[in-house]
Structures are given as structure tokens and as C-alpha cells.
Amino acid sequence: MKIVVNGENHILEESLTIRELIGKFGINTETVVVELNKQIVAKENFGSTKLNDSDKVEIVHFVGGG
Amino acid sequence: MEITVNEKKMVIDNFTTLFELRDQIKPDADVVIINGYQTDTDIKLQEGDKISLIRKGEIPDKSEIKYLMMARHTPGVHDKLQKGFVAIAGLGGLGSNVAVSLARMGIGTIKLIDFDIVEPSNLNRQQYFIHQIGKSKTEALKDTLLNINPYNTYLTENIYITAENAKKTLKGYDVIIEAFDKAKNKAMLINECLKHFPGKCIIGASGVAGVFDTESLKIHKIGKNTYIVGDMVNEARPGCGLMATRVAVAANMQAHLAVRYLLGEI
């Protein structure tokens, strides 16, 4: 299936959860804010939210410093 | 016709010019500001004009000073900002600079939140002074803000914000500024605010370290009212420090978003 992550097309061979997708990018789930089809996904739902064909995901990854 | 001079309304003859007015009211004024613009050119006054006449070096009385401080504001801006409530979570390089700019702008109520004290390595970029080392950041910054603009309300809370206490600490504010240092705390605060305060304006920052070009600092919008300022990449790490010039640009981008939100511009 095809999804869009941060504006780029990605092909997934099997359906993933948000948590699994973040893991594929090698990002710590503690440092992200995630939008799925313009809706914020609560952190506690990362593991239970499955991605569907043509979903649009925005992963905002925070880095330290301030 | 009616005009306002140093925030007092008065009726003057039609066809009076700006400099004729100055000569009548305050002939020794050497700064003449009309509708937020300082001018050397005489012009005919119009109904509703707002004029400030200032003698350089003279400390005005209390009733006048609040308005003279805002004389260079675009008219109408100050009244709207005075009604604003902004909470600043974290008073480091981002938060202390945001606070100073928002105090100067005249945000009516500013809440300052931090758990830490001022220490020497803060002084390369944060708005504190040598004599404040050892003081709590909340109290040190409040003192500074009162010296800059005593006509806003400053509230303080010494607390380490967590997912458990964020809602209670930040409830009731129009704008919440995320100004933390650690990536996990940044993401936690934005997630908690989106969960508890979905209609509010939330302004965070990510990627402000180093001496990289300020052109790389961008505004990333999430949802309706959430903004993240930064290059999203350059984190503070060994070999990549936090510098006053770049951090303060990001801080003022955050502060400016807060102002534009309160003015209804975004």
C-alpha cells in the first residue's frame, strides 16, 4: 500500500502501526508529534493506530536545544 | 476636532498643525510621534490623531509613562495585546528572550515557568545578569521584566513541567510557548497541549543550535494553531553549542507569532 510521510511517497508491503512506522525511521517515539490525515495522534495510541492505504502522515521530530 | 496627546483627549481648532500643537503644549519636546511614527515634518492634524510629545531624558510622571512607552507601537496594537495571556514554559535561551520581547510589546499577562536557578553558563544567551547567579530564573526574570515594563502582570511558577502537571500549570492561557531544552520535554509539552488545549495557540521550537544561517530557521505549522520554529535538524550536542545570536532570532520568531496570533493576524 502507498502512504505519504512528511510529503514523500512510501510503499509499505504490510500495514504498520504508527509506532512501527516511527521505528522504521529510527526515531525515538518520545521526541515526536504525529499527525495522521491532519489529526493529531495521541502518544498512547501510536501502538494501536494502523495505517491504511493513501494515509498522509506528518512526523514532527524534535531535537534538543533552547 | 478631538485628538489625543500623551494619551489625554483634547479638543483643538481645525487646521492646527502638529508643530503648532507641540509649541502650545510642550515646546521643549524633542521627540514628536504621530500615530506611531516619529517625524521631523510638520503636518496638518486630523480628527482622531494620536500624538506623543517627549522631552528626551525627562522621566515622565506615572500616568504618562505607560502610554509614552508604547508611542512607537502601531495604533490599536497595544490595547489588543494588553488583553493577552501568554504562558512561557522554560526560561532559557528561548524563553527568557521571548519574555523580554513580549514584555516590551505590552502583553497584559505573562506567566513565567521554570524549575532552575541562574548559573554562569546561561549568560552567553539568556537574559540574566551576573548579580542574578543563584537566583531562581522565574524571580530573576520577573525583576528584569518589571524594570523594562512594570505595567504588565507577571506570574511565576517554580515547577518542572511533566505530562501530569502540564494541564494545571498552563490552563487558561491564549498562547503557550514551548521553550524547553530537551527534545523529549518539547514533544511531551506539545502533545499535552494539543490534547488538553486544542483551540489554543501553541508555539514551540526545534533546531536552534549552532552558528548556522538564520535563513534556515522556518515556521512549521501543525494543525490549526500550532507552530514550530527552527531548522528542525540542528540540535545542541558536543561540538554544536547554543549561541545568543541564533537562539534569540528563533525566540523572537516565537514571540512574534504570539503577537500576530493575539492581533488576529494568523
Side-chain angles (χ1 to χ4, degrees):
Chain A
M1 65 183 208
K2 215 169 83 178
I3 62 167
V4 180
V5 182
N6 293 354
E8 284 181 16
N9 290 320
H10 288 261
I11 307 283
L12 299 183
E13 290 181 5
E14 51 176 347
S15 177
L16 298 178
T17 65
I18 296 276
R19 178 174 296 281
E20 288 164 340
L21 180 76
I22 296 167
K24 267 178 98 85
F25 284 94
I27 301 171
N28 180 343
T29 55
E30 299 286 322
T31 61
V32 296
V33 171
V34 177
E35 242 184 355
L36 172 59
N37 302 325
K38 300 273 169 198
Q39 298 291 317
I40 298 293
V41 183
K43 208 178 75 189
E44 49 270 31
N45 298 333
F46 284 179
S48 59
T49 306
K50 284 240 171 206
L51 292 166
N52 295 308
D53 192 42
S54 65
D55 274 348
K56 287 197 170 73
V57 186
E58 288 289 323
I59 302 173
V60 183
H61 176 212
F62 284 82
V63 298
Chain B
M1 63 182 179
E2 193 177 80
I3 59 165
T4 307
V5 182
N6 290 1
E7 215 48 38
K8 292 188 187 88
K9 285 196 166 35
M10 59 171 55
V11 176
I12 58 162
D13 293 338
N14 292 354
F15 311 113
T16 307
T17 72
L18 182 61
F19 288 178
E20 285 167 3
L21 179 86
R22 176 198 59 195
D23 294 342
Q24 285 167 30
I25 294 178
K26 198 171 177 70
D28 60 353
D30 36 26
V31 176
V32 178
I33 300 168
I34 178 160
N35 301 329
Y37 180 73
Q38 187 173 336
T39 185
D40 298 323
T41 311
D42 200 11
I43 55 162
K44 214 160 73 179
L45 293 170
Q46 310 274 338
E47 176 81 30
D49 278 347
K50 286 191 169 199
I51 295 116
S52 300
L53 303 170
I54 297 171
R55 170 84 187 143
K56 275 192 189 173
E58 176 185 277
I59 297 182
D61 67 40
K62 260 196 163 166
S63 65
E64 272 188 349
I65 197 166
K66 176 175 180 179
Y67 299 101
L68 294 179
M69 278 177 64
M70 300 300 159
R72 291 298 301 266
H73 268 25
T74 303
V77 164
H78 188 242
D79 291 345
K80 285 187 190 166
L81 296 184
Q82 274 287 290
K83 296 181 187 122
F85 283 72
V86 178
I88 306 173
L91 304 176
L94 292 167
S96 64
N97 280 296
V98 169
V100 165
S101 282
L102 293 184
R104 290 194 190 280
M105 288 298 285
I107 305 295
T109 305
I110 301 174
K111 182 168 183 179
L112 307 170
I113 307 155
D114 203 292
F115 69 97
D116 213 350
I117 61 172
V118 178
E119 47 100 351
S121 74
N122 300 150
L123 299 178
N124 81 322
R125 67 192 187 285
Q126 306 183 17
Q127 294 288 353
Y128 302 102
F129 302 103
I130 299 269
H131 71 85
Q132 292 175 323
I133 289 171
K135 266 191 159 189
S136 71
K137 286 188 173 181
T138 52
E139 285 310 309
L141 191 56
K142 184 179 172 181
D143 281 351
T144 302
L145 301 185
L146 284 168
N147 274 301
I148 290 172
N149 184 347
Y151 303 103
N152 306 316
T153 300
Y154 305 110
L155 305 168
T156 60
E157 190 171 351
N158 281 290
I159 191 171
Y160 189 94
I161 295 185
T162 64
E164 287 69 42
N165 63 28
K167 185 180 176 187
K168 186 166 172 254
T169 299
L170 299 167
K171 203 177 169 190
Y173 286 83
D174 305 313
V175 179
I176 298 159
I177 308 273
E178 175 281 303
F180 289 152
D181 190 31
K182 293 194 176 76
K184 281 183 186 178
N185 292 345
K186 288 172 172 290
M188 176 277 294
L189 190 77
I190 303 288
N191 276 311
E192 289 303 312
C193 288
L194 285 165
K195 183 164 42 168
H196 298 302
F197 316 118
K200 303 294 184 182
C201 179
I202 305 156
I203 306 170
S206 178
V208 300
V211 289
F212 303 98
D213 196 338
T214 50
E215 288 243 10
S216 62
L217 300 172
K218 300 272 189 285
I219 299 165
H220 307 265
K221 193 173 180 186
I222 311 171
K224 203 168 145 243
N225 286 325
T226 300
Y227 302 89
I228 311 297
V229 169
D231 64 26
M232 309 303 283
V233 177
N234 287 301
E235 63 185 316
R237 55 181 164 76
C240 185
L242 291 158
M243 327 298 271
T245 43
R246 193 165 192 260
V247 173
V249 170
N252 278 293
M253 287 171 75
Q254 288 184 288
H256 195 58
L257 281 164
V259 166
R260 284 173 54 75
Y261 175 79
L262 292 171
L263 295 177
E265 300 279 336
I266 55 171

